[in-house]
Amino acid sequence: MKPKAILTWIKNQLSILDWLPNYTKKDLAGDLKSGATVGVIEIPQAMAYAVIAGLSPIYGLYGSLIPLLIYPLFGTSRHLALGIVATDMIIIASGASMVAEPGTDKYVTAVLLLTMLVGLVHIAMSLFRMGFLVNFLSKPVIYGFMVAAPIIIGFSQMGNLMGIELERTQYVGVLALQIIDQIEMINPVALSIGGAGLILLFVLQKINPLFPRALLLIAGCGVAVWFFNLERYNVDVIGVVPAGLPSFELHEFTREDVRLLLPTVTTLVLIQLMAIMSLGKTFGNKYKYPIDPNKEFFALGMANFVGSFFQSPPMSGSFSRTAVSDQAGTRTPMSNVVTAVIIGLTLLFLTPLFYFVPMPALAAVIIAATISLLDLSELRYLFKTKRSEAYIAIFTFLCTLLIGIQEGILLGIGASLFSVLYRTSRPNVAVLGHMKGSRSFRDVDRNKKANPIDELLILRFDSSLEFSNADYIKDFIIDRSSEQNKQIRAVIIDAKSINDIDTTAIEILKSVRETLEDWDIELHFAGLKSPVQNLLTRSGLARKLGGTHFHESTHDAITYLLEKWDREDDEKSEKEENGDDTERAHRLKDYLSDTD
């Protein structure tokens, strides 16, 4: 690629050039307010969420710095608030723990390697325009995971909340048994801090959702621990938090590390892409501006890739902080820069204040945040709208909770694909009847006014014809053609909804034609799209049927057949010199009278 072409491509990726030249004082005022609001909220959340991933709280702040400066250069969403996300952190914990023991330097390196790999995959997906992969995560799968993840996260923090030592695991059953075994060892002071913190967070949430309640909690608890010397009651605190901005570091890793992390990378990429596209489209539609999926993928990829060299865990779009940012009046991606500035100032000047922040307070922040993610109304909606998808959501939820996070998501995807394949293999096939007074035809099982036409079987397939459903459609045609004791003289396929036919289905249609021909039943097509009819022509099926077996509409097919049969009956009557058989000689006339 020529240097000029490379420069042009880079310029096209810089979405900041689309909005920065028109940046106004009003935009700056909105971004300053929203960025500062989100920054104050993000400080305690980022620190708490880093603990979920098995990292020191400082890494949560690192992840909320450099990536937030990179995204505005390339992102097309003006309202997306980036940062550390709780559900991502539990996935990271389960994946990185396969490489190293949490709390070790090797573990931190594994997390940062995970960030780099996630960024590279996002960038590659953008370059190869592979955003369609997001479609593998259906709404039921996402919902099932989003209900299970908060429960896993909540249980993982019960040790910090109660002041007891619990194993780092994603299995809720194991954690529950450990809590029961250690119930007599619960630290009442730690539990009091965590319990009071939860109550405070929920009360303040009801009073003012925008109030920085988490920051108030950790600040108040930190002061209380210092003033009352609560460390003497074995209350764990954050301890020394290094001051200063994150340094640039290169990763040391092996091929085996990459291999072990690949399943986690795949899971994170799909979850993050779904998050940013859901958020991007929601606010893009609300404020009437376009979202470019490939640029979003590139922006998120660059934010993660560059951030990985500055000690950032994987980051994504936050649903809760994006909503807060919108309520606070954000105008452009510059609000992320303001948030990053708040985080940077905190790292430079405020980290000594975090020493006395108790771990039960951080646990309360996490548990309160995860409880807010639980939404049973969505499950009721799925049961009301499509019961099969509700079962997929429940299946994903149970698999994630009992088997594992990555396994649960993959099994949920598998269940969704199986459901799609099952529906594809058994498409809706309607037997049509004529609506009196019109040229319309409706499903006789769904519309009592739809009247079948004697000697005709009119069928409509509500799908393309392909290998997965060809045998089902063949059996349907043969069964319906034979069940009326050979009273059917022609089968008309209303083909307006058939968009494609593969070679397997064509062979099946040839077999159907031969069977019907043996029974003296004609096969006709009505309303075939030109590309589909061309396929039948190239396959030789159209030639075997003959040109008179293809019609512009179902009405044309019926008039052709009825006129033909009336003519044949008239000729037969003349040969038999029997002029009294008038009943069978007026099919077309009777049908046309019903269309007026």
Side-chain angles (χ1 to χ4, degrees):
M1 186 180 289
K2 296 180 180 179
K4 185 176 181 181
I6 295 175
L7 290 174
T8 302
W9 181 84
I10 293 174
K11 183 179 179 180
N12 290 335
Q13 296 299 316
L14 289 170
S15 299
I16 191 173
L17 299 178
D18 296 333
W19 55 266
L20 189 60
N22 301 316
Y23 199 70
T24 64
K25 291 183 178 179
K26 187 176 181 180
D27 293 333
L28 178 61
D31 290 339
L32 285 173
K33 180 183 176 184
S34 63
T37 302
V38 173
V40 170
I41 293 172
E42 188 153 349
I43 291 169
Q45 282 191 349
M47 295 175 68
Y49 292 169
V51 174
I52 299 173
L55 298 168
S56 168
I58 191 66
Y59 288 97
L61 297 179
Y62 290 163
S64 302
L65 184 62
I66 299 300
L68 273 67
L69 298 176
I70 299 297
Y71 175 82
L73 298 175
F74 307 102
T76 58
S77 174
R78 299 175 189 172
H79 293 80
L80 189 68
L82 269 71
I84 305 301
V85 180
T87 50
D88 286 1
M89 295 301 105
I90 193 66
I91 296 173
I92 292 164
S94 67
S97 60
M98 293 189 296
V99 177
E101 184 70 23
T104 63
D105 291 341
K106 175 69 173 176
Y107 183 85
V108 173
T109 301
V111 173
L112 300 181
L113 173 60
L114 190 57
T115 309
M116 184 180 73
L117 294 175
V118 166
L120 287 174
V121 173
H122 281 311
I123 293 170
M125 289 183 67
S126 169
L127 297 178
F128 292 104
R129 299 185 176 274
M130 297 174 65
F132 67 90
L133 290 177
V134 178
N135 298 328
F136 285 110
L137 277 178
S138 64
K139 185 174 183 177
V141 173
I142 288 293
Y143 175 72
F145 165 72
M146 292 298 290
V147 174
I151 296 175
I152 297 172
I153 293 170
F155 269 87
S156 73
Q157 294 305 304
M158 295 305 290
N160 288 331
L161 189 77
M162 299 177 176
I164 57 178
E165 290 290 332
L166 296 181
E167 179 185 343
R168 284 193 178 277
T169 178
Q170 58 178 308
Y171 300 108
V172 171
V174 173
L175 292 170
L177 290 175
Q178 289 186 7
I179 292 171
I180 294 172
D181 288 341
Q182 300 183 54
I183 196 164
E184 295 180 354
M185 301 172 62
I186 292 176
N187 185 329
V189 178
L191 183 59
S192 298
I193 293 173
L198 280 172
I199 294 172
L200 177 66
L201 290 172
F202 286 120
V203 169
L204 293 177
Q205 165 73 15
K206 294 293 184 182
I207 296 174
N208 184 358
L210 291 179
F211 186 80
R213 53 195 180 279
L215 186 64
L216 174 65
L217 173 65
I218 65 170
C221 289
V223 170
V225 169
W226 168 75
F227 186 79
F228 295 107
N229 191 22
L230 297 181
E231 283 186 276
R232 70 178 188 271
Y233 297 107
N234 296 320
V235 174
D236 290 336
V237 296
I238 290 179
V240 177
V241 177
L245 303 178
S247 59
F248 179 87
E249 292 186 8
L250 295 174
H251 312 298
E252 293 184 3
F253 58 89
T254 65
R255 186 181 300 175
E256 180 65 12
D257 294 340
V258 175
R259 186 189 68 80
L260 290 172
L261 289 175
L262 282 180
T264 307
V265 171
T266 303
T267 305
L268 269 177
V269 164
L270 288 174
I271 293 292
Q272 290 184 352
L273 291 183
M274 180 64 73
I276 65 166
M277 287 313 302
S278 297
L279 287 167
K281 288 182 178 179
T282 297
F283 289 95
N285 292 336
K286 180 178 179 180
Y287 292 99
K288 312 299 181 187
Y289 62 84
I291 297 294
D292 187 326
N294 287 301
K295 284 189 176 183
E296 286 298 294
F297 301 163
F298 186 82
L300 189 62
M302 288 298 295
N304 274 302
F305 180 73
V306 176
S308 70
F309 296 103
F310 292 91
Q311 306 179 60
S312 168
M315 46 72 63
S316 181
S318 167
F319 284 86
S320 60
R321 292 193 291 272
T322 299
V324 170
S325 178
D326 177 47
Q327 293 175 27
T330 188
R331 306 274 296 186
T332 73
M334 187 64 74
S335 61
N336 284 288
V337 176
V338 176
T339 299
V341 170
I342 298 295
I343 301 296
L345 293 173
T346 301
L347 285 167
L348 288 172
F349 305 110
L350 302 181
T351 52
L353 302 179
F354 296 140
Y355 181 94
F356 290 102
V357 173
M359 294 304 292
L362 285 181
V365 171
I366 294 170
I367 293 171
T370 56
I371 290 175
S372 67
L373 294 175
L374 297 173
D375 182 12
L376 294 181
S377 63
E378 184 70 20
L379 184 61
R380 289 194 294 269
Y381 167 79
L382 290 174
F383 267 111
K384 179 180 178 182
T385 307
K386 197 163 188 178
R387 190 172 292 268
S388 62
E389 296 201 353
Y391 291 137
I392 291 174
I394 293 173
F395 175 77
T396 305
F397 165 76
L398 292 174
C399 289
T400 303
L401 205 60
L402 302 177
I403 302 176
I405 293 171
Q406 296 172 45
E407 293 86 348
I409 292 173
L410 292 175
L411 286 170
I413 292 173
S416 291
L417 293 176
F418 177 81
S419 176
V420 170
L421 290 174
Y422 181 79
R423 290 198 303 270
T424 303
S425 67
R426 300 179 66 85
N428 180 59
V429 183
V431 178
L432 303 183
H434 179 236
M435 300 295 290
K436 190 173 183 179
S438 72
R439 295 185 178 185
S440 298
F441 301 87
R442 297 289 185 270
D443 189 340
V444 295
D445 294 329
R446 297 175 180 270
N447 198 314
K448 295 180 179 180
K449 294 182 180 180
N451 300 310
I453 299 177
D454 291 341
E455 301 179 301
L456 286 175
L457 176 61
I458 309 171
L459 302 176
R460 186 190 70 225
F461 305 130
D462 295 333
S463 73
S464 296
L465 305 187
E466 51 195 25
F467 70 94
S468 61
N469 59 30
D471 282 319
Y472 176 79
I473 288 174
K474 173 187 176 181
D475 293 341
F476 191 94
I477 296 173
I478 298 302
D479 291 345
R480 284 304 182 103
S481 300
S482 61
E483 70 182 11
Q484 299 185 31
N485 299 321
K486 305 282 180 89
Q487 293 180 0
I488 297 296
R489 295 180 64 181
V491 174
I492 299 175
I493 297 178
D494 184 328
K496 291 190 294 294
S497 58
I498 299 176
N499 296 316
D500 191 22
I501 299 180
D502 67 12
T503 54
T504 303
I506 290 174
E507 292 303 312
I508 291 293
L509 287 177
K510 290 179 180 179
S511 174
V512 168
R513 183 198 69 83
E514 292 171 359
T515 301
L516 294 180
E517 191 175 65
D518 291 340
W519 294 350
D520 293 326
I521 298 176
E522 300 181 48
L523 178 62
H524 290 253
F525 290 87
L528 267 176
K529 294 179 173 66
S530 296
V532 179
Q533 187 163 347
N534 290 338
L535 285 172
L536 297 184
T537 301
R538 292 197 298 270
S539 70
L541 178 59
R543 180 178 55 79
K544 290 182 179 180
L545 285 170
T548 58
H549 287 244
F550 296 90
H551 310 274
E552 289 293 326
S553 67
T554 302
H555 170 76
D556 291 344
I558 293 172
T559 55
Y560 168 80
L561 286 167
L562 296 185
E563 182 181 18
K564 174 185 172 183
W565 293 342
D566 283 346
R567 187 171 60 252
E568 289 174 354
D569 285 350
D570 287 341
E571 292 173 356
K572 183 177 179 181
S573 296
E574 290 176 2
K575 289 180 180 180
E576 295 177 355
E577 296 181 350
N578 181 8
D580 295 330
D581 189 11
T582 57
E583 181 181 352
R584 294 175 59 83
H586 298 291
R587 298 181 187 83
L588 179 61
K589 180 179 178 181
D590 292 341
Y591 167 71
L592 292 176
S593 67
D594 285 341
T595 62
D596 296 332

